[in-house]
Amino acid sequence: MRTRKTHQTELVMQAVHALDHPTASNVLDAVHELDPSVSRATVFRVLAEAAESGEVQRLVLAGSSDCFDITLCKHAHMVCSRCGAISDVDVPDTSALQRDAVGVKGGRIDACHVQFFGLCPECNRGEPHQNQ
Amino acid sequence: MRTRKTHQTELVMQAVHALDHPTASNVLDAVHELDPSVSRATVFRVLAEAAESGEVQRLVLAGSSDCFDITLCKHAHMVCSRCGAISDVDVPDTSALQRDAVGVKGGRIDACHVQFFGLCPECNRGEPHQNQ
DNA sequence: CTTTTTGCAAACCCTTTGCAAGACA
DNA sequence: TGTCTTGCAAAGGGTTTGCAAAAAG
């Protein structure tokens, strides 16, 4: 748990809030625009601890680097197959899905992660958009 | 596309069939038990091409290395939170889930991946099982 | 002044690649 | 023989770590 307030931590948290589903590297880039002296290690450490403490949510996605989300409530994500952008998707009933799933005999299912693949609005319009 | 039959390729494909949802490293380990001279690069190359050609399925999972699956039909997976083992899960209606999902306005959803987290039978029994 | 936090650089893990040597057909 | 496939070793990328220096309280 982070007990002292520092310039670096403020910049990192500010970036997470300003960006939409940033990866650690996205955050680093944003922080560097304001202060290039902040180190990569610090960004990873601050993000890891913020996720640990529940201040932000770490999104562990299939096929992408972990992203960070300031929305703490559970929801699904769509990853754009073209540019990698991540969009929030409201999905009504994963509990039903989990209940319906034929579990592994003898095993136990605790959580259900739903992830969609598709095209984000920009890429769907055919815009020459690359990477968030 | 692989046109020649080699000792190495045979060992790799044999291992993929013998193992359950192996990662490339799992395959490498199995192959090395029979022939330690097979290189890491070859295992990755053979698996990548087998997945490319549709001979096996590459499973891109959240929070795990890619795994390879000889079952070509689509199904969901459960990742054991304790040992990392992967189990097949039959899940009835992801198409309904996809239809129900409130898509990103202007975007397009193409595919839906469902992944469960829980305990595999061994870990659920409390056995001292670590890593597949 | 004590303890936390940082920056650096190196280590790490997993995967991919360039290239010359080797093996298949 | 010709060219596909391999092994090696190095390069990647993304993330983590050890440690001494800097900064917060």
Side-chain angles (χ1 to χ4, degrees), chain B residues 6 10 13 23 25 27 36-37 47 50 53 58 71 75-76 79-80 85 91-92 96 99 110-111 115 126 128:
Chain B
T6 66
E10 258 181 59
M13 294 313 295
T23 63
S25 291
V27 171
S37 75
L47 289 172
S53 74
R58 179 193 290 266
T71 304
H75 56 280
V79 179
C80 178
V91 56
R99 191 176 53 244
D110 292 326
Q115 180 177 337

Side-chain angles (χ1 to χ4, degrees), chain B residues 2-4 6 8 39 42 45:
Chain B
R2 199 148 283 263
T3 61
R4 297 183 183 176
T6 66
Q8 289 88 341
S39 79
T42 295
R45 273 187 291 236

Side-chain angles (χ1 to χ4, degrees), chain A residues 66-109:
Chain A
D66 290 2
C67 295
F68 296 87
D69 196 339
I70 56 173
T71 304
L72 293 177
C73 71
K74 207 167 163 279
H75 55 281
H77 295 91
M78 183 183 82
V79 179
C80 178
S81 309
R82 184 145 157 274
C83 74
I86 292 163
S87 317
D88 289 329
V89 176
D90 290 323
V91 55
D93 56 348
T94 61
S95 61
L97 193 74
Q98 183 171 331
R99 193 176 52 244
D100 290 352
V102 179
V104 191
K105 57 226 150 299
R108 190 183 78 201
I109 291 178

Side-chain angles (χ1 to χ4, degrees), chain B residues 95-108:
Chain B
S95 60
L97 192 73
Q98 185 171 331
R99 191 176 53 244
D100 290 351
V102 179
V104 190
K105 55 226 152 297
R108 190 183 79 202

Side-chain angles (χ1 to χ4, degrees), chain B residues 44-78:
Chain B
F44 277 89
R45 273 187 291 236
V46 170
L47 289 172
E49 289 174 32
E52 189 94 8
S53 74
E55 197 176 351
V56 301
Q57 194 178 357
R58 179 193 290 266
L59 307 179
V60 180
L61 300 170
S64 319
S65 290
D66 290 1
C67 296
F68 296 87
D69 195 339
I70 54 172
T71 304
L72 294 178
C73 70
K74 204 165 167 278
H75 56 280
H77 295 92
M78 183 184 83

Side-chain angles (χ1 to χ4, degrees), chain B residues 1 19-20 25 30 32 40 56 64 70 78 95 106 120-122:
Chain B
M1 185 47 153
L19 298 169
D20 187 42
S25 291
H32 273 185
R40 175 174 301 273
V56 301
S64 319
I70 54 172
M78 183 184 83
S95 60
C120 71
E122 289 75 21

